[in-house]
Amino acid sequence: MNRRITAVIGTVFAGGAAAGLALSAAGPAVAAQFYGGTLHPGEQRCVQQSAQHTVRADGKATGQGAKFKLQYQGATVPGTGSPGLVTAYGAELRDTWAGWPGAGDYTACVTNHGTADTNVRLTLTTDGEVG
């Protein structure tokens, strides 16, 4: 069974003024963090990056899927963990949305809780990289 989860915390602002403000508040771009490879059952991989205003995690997994989560300062951000094994994942946080934990270090993790190997892709982007 393939399952897909996308978590977006907060509300979306409408109008060009809000979009322009969000773009002008974004700091300089930093290279996105990425992991791609095969995870054996029980293995976990994480990527980390600092964010000032915006953070986004995206992931994909083959076969039975994998468990994904987005953490801030070492704790999983509520509403950003997948509900189990999923084959597609996305979570985004912005400082203009309710639920923004704050500027600091963010970590995206993928764990193979299945019984077979799974190929995964995990990307973490922040601030000026998030579209």
Side-chain angles (χ1 to χ4, degrees):
M1 169 171 60
N2 289 340
R3 294 178 27 183
R4 178 182 193 96
I5 182 168
T6 300
V8 177
I9 307 299
T11 57
V12 178
F13 286 103
L21 179 60
L23 289 175
S24 66
V30 177
Q33 299 300 306
F34 171 81
Y35 171 78
T38 301
L39 290 182
H40 305 294
E43 287 186 331
Q44 180 181 67
R45 295 292 183 272
C46 299
V47 292
Q48 182 179 357
Q49 188 165 310
S50 292
Q52 296 297 311
H53 307 284
T54 307
V55 61
R56 179 162 180 87
D58 291 288
K60 291 186 179 187
T62 62
Q64 297 173 329
K67 174 100 171 115
F68 294 86
K69 64 183 174 183
L70 180 60
Q71 298 179 312
Y72 170 71
Q73 309 291 78
T76 300
V77 178
T80 65
S82 64
L85 301 177
V86 297
T87 57
Y89 169 81
E92 183 170 329
L93 303 167
R94 293 178 181 254
D95 63 355
T96 55
W97 296 349
W100 170 252
D105 294 329
Y106 285 84
T107 305
C109 295
V110 56
T111 306
N112 182 356
H113 287 298
T115 58
D117 289 353
T118 183
N119 294 319
V120 298
R121 294 178 54 87
L122 178 63
T123 304
L124 180 65
T125 54
T126 61
D127 299 325
E129 304 165 336
V130 179

